[in-house]
Amino acid sequence: MSSSDRERRNVRLLLTARGIRAFGDGFVSILLPVYLTGIGFGALKVGALTTAMLLGPAMMTSVIGLIAHRLKTVRLLTTATTLMVVSGIGYAFETEFWPLLTIALVGTLSPTASDVSVFAPLEQTLLSNAVVPQKRTSIFATYSLIGSVLSAIGCLFASAPEIVARASLMPPNRALQGMFLLYAFLGAIAFMIYRQLKSPAEAPVSEPASGPLGPSRRIVLTLAALFSLDSFGGGFFVQSLLALWLFDHFGLSLTAAGSLFFWSGLLSAFSYPIAVRLARRIGLVNTMVFTHLPSNVCLMLVPFAPTLEIVIALLLIRSTLSQMDVPARTSYVIARHTVRAPSSGKRHSGAPKPGRSSKSSSRGLLARAFELRVAPCPRRRSQQPLRPAALIYVSQSSAPEEEIVDDVHIDVSSTYHVADPSITRTRS
């Protein structure tokens, strides 16, 4: 198999695995609060488990970001899917808090439909090595598009336990346990897909990196810090806690919540192709900033909305805008790193991720603790975001060269193009 064919095959496999994982994350993020409250956990314990589910992947991503250049990416991905299988089985059969907390820390269960796991930086590293820089934003938009669509379908599928229980086929708790077993089964399928990946040929670099991130260490750490501030506010708004808030305050059913998050995910998915075209016109950084600001205004209004209809409208408007920065942000980070220091290799995709996960995880617990203290108030302010400050600061940075390249569009077939071999070797 030629190098070009191998890269095309890798892209197809990675996008397939992304969709499978996103489907599982979609229904798990909604079912988690229902399942945990159903087995007797209060708001604080649910918040603690949510925190652990975000903190654990953050710590693993930090470690992998330092050692990934010594290990094969494919092996790391298959190991992560093993943890995915263990996570699903563990939550299906365990009901005690401390074992569940341990599984949350070392596993891959996610309280949000967005991908905050260790999979994302590893997959993005392989994808970035499979395309030329001009197509980088496009392939990441495709990656995010597939993830959002399948995650939305997963959210809709979260109503399955309620439907099964109504049909008296099995008790509700057994139906919920079956969904976690399905999550484990999806992990096994992802394992088989990753086993088929072909690692790119390794070659010695001509100039060794001067540090853990090479010459680009400063820019990568700066971006990680900024994204940490962004996620510090976003941690108030993980999907599991939002679902729990809707259940508590509006009596939303599981089926209705699944439908809401399905349409939210679908709107987010269709925003990715628009983000690519927008980034081509106004640049990656401007795309990040000027789509996030109105999105967060909608989010800030949610706790004060008097009716469920207004809440749903605000959430849907926010969903249309909130994820448009994702392909632009990913492309920006990788472009800045590969332009500054192509010799520093695999670790560029791992560095910024821990900031997003770890700060969100601390907010998961703090948001639930704060909620307990202000329980009499029907609308909480704990979900107001802190994101715009980080993005305004980012807008002062210079743009990578990719922003001035023509012919950037969302076309999966056009992204299957292998970079010059010398470039590929230095980035692998």
Side-chain angles (χ1 to χ4, degrees):
M1 182 183 295
S2 67
S3 175
S4 178
D5 291 338
R6 180 180 60 198
E7 297 297 347
R8 290 192 187 96
R9 185 170 182 271
N10 277 356
V11 169
R12 287 194 294 268
L13 291 171
L14 288 168
L15 294 180
T16 302
R18 173 70 181 107
I20 290 172
R21 292 191 300 100
F23 178 74
D25 288 340
F27 64 75
V28 161
S29 63
I30 297 178
L31 295 178
L32 272 170
V34 177
Y35 177 71
L36 293 175
T37 54
I39 60 178
F41 291 160
L44 189 60
K45 286 187 176 180
V46 172
L49 290 170
T50 300
T51 298
M53 289 174 191
L54 293 168
L55 184 60
M59 294 187 296
M60 281 194 289
T61 304
S62 298
V63 173
I64 288 176
L66 297 174
I67 66 173
H69 62 293
R70 303 174 185 172
L71 303 171
K72 291 184 177 180
T73 305
V74 174
R75 182 174 298 176
L76 291 172
L77 285 170
T78 54
T79 301
T81 53
T82 303
L83 293 176
M84 183 175 175
V85 174
V86 172
S87 300
I89 294 175
Y91 265 68
F93 296 107
E94 184 56 62
T95 58
E96 297 297 324
F97 175 73
W98 291 109
L100 290 178
L101 184 66
T102 302
I103 296 171
L105 278 170
V106 302
T108 61
L109 289 172
S110 175
T112 174
S114 301
D115 197 344
V116 295
S117 68
V118 72
F119 290 101
L122 296 173
E123 290 176 338
Q124 289 166 4
T125 298
L126 293 178
L127 287 173
S128 67
N129 288 334
V131 297
V132 293
Q134 296 93 318
K135 304 298 181 182
R136 188 185 293 122
T137 304
S138 181
I139 191 61
F140 287 140
T142 304
Y143 176 85
S144 299
L145 173 66
I146 291 174
S148 286
V149 170
L150 270 296
S151 176
I153 296 174
C155 290
L156 197 62
F157 193 69
S159 61
E162 192 173 78
I163 295 173
V164 170
R166 285 178 181 175
S168 301
L169 298 178
M170 65 176 67
N173 62 323
R174 291 295 178 88
L176 288 171
Q177 289 174 332
M179 296 296 285
F180 287 104
L181 291 177
L182 175 59
Y183 178 84
F185 178 70
L186 294 175
I189 295 176
F191 176 87
M192 298 305 297
I193 292 174
Y194 290 134
R195 284 286 299 268
Q196 299 177 55
L197 289 171
K198 302 295 182 182
S199 297
E202 302 288 343
V205 296
S206 56
E207 182 180 347
S210 59
L213 291 171
S216 62
R217 176 182 178 84
R218 181 176 176 274
I219 185 66
V220 172
L221 293 180
T222 300
L223 289 170
L226 292 172
F227 296 152
S228 296
L229 179 60
D230 179 31
S231 288
F232 189 67
F236 281 123
F237 198 69
V238 293
Q239 188 158 291
S240 290
L241 298 185
L242 174 61
L244 187 58
W245 184 72
L246 292 171
F247 295 148
D248 288 343
H249 286 271
F250 295 103
L252 208 64
S253 67
L254 194 55
T255 301
S259 298
L260 170 60
F261 289 116
F262 167 75
W263 289 109
S264 294
L266 215 57
L267 289 173
S268 295
F270 284 113
S271 72
Y272 293 124
I274 299 173
V276 176
R277 295 181 181 274
L278 191 62
R280 182 185 177 187
R281 290 181 177 275
I282 68 175
L284 296 173
V285 173
N286 287 334
T287 300
M288 287 187 271
V289 174
F290 295 114
T291 59
H292 241 51
L293 291 178
S295 165
N296 282 292
V297 170
C298 291
L299 179 57
M300 293 171 68
L301 294 175
V302 166
F304 306 102
T307 65
L308 177 61
E309 289 75 14
I310 296 177
V311 168
I312 291 175
L314 289 171
L315 291 175
L316 292 179
I317 294 172
R318 176 188 178 272
S319 298
T320 305
L321 299 171
S322 64
Q323 297 300 306
M324 292 182 73
D325 70 309
V326 173
R329 181 180 64 233
T330 306
S331 182
Y332 183 87
V333 171
I334 293 181
R336 293 294 298 179
H337 181 60
T338 54
V339 169
R340 288 292 187 90
S343 63
S344 51
K346 296 178 183 177
R347 284 170 284 182
H348 67 277
S349 289
K353 293 292 288 186
R356 290 194 59 80
S357 298
S358 59
K359 290 295 182 180
S360 295
S361 66
S362 64
R363 274 312 194 193
L365 180 56
L366 291 176
R368 299 305 300 165
F370 182 78
E371 181 174 332
L372 288 175
R373 294 178 181 273
V374 296
C377 179
R379 301 291 181 267
R380 300 178 176 84
R381 300 187 182 187
S382 63
Q383 294 178 0
Q384 296 182 14
L386 303 176
R387 296 184 174 185
L391 292 177
I392 291 172
Y393 186 84
V394 171
S395 68
Q396 301 172 9
S397 304
S398 59
E401 295 177 2
E402 181 188 357
E403 293 189 359
I404 62 174
V405 179
D406 291 331
D407 193 30
V408 179
H409 59 282
I410 182 96
D411 182 356
V412 179
S413 60
S414 68
T415 60
Y416 299 151
H417 184 81
V418 182
D420 180 82
S422 62
I423 298 176
T424 304
R425 284 196 298 269
T426 58
R427 291 187 304 173
S428 61

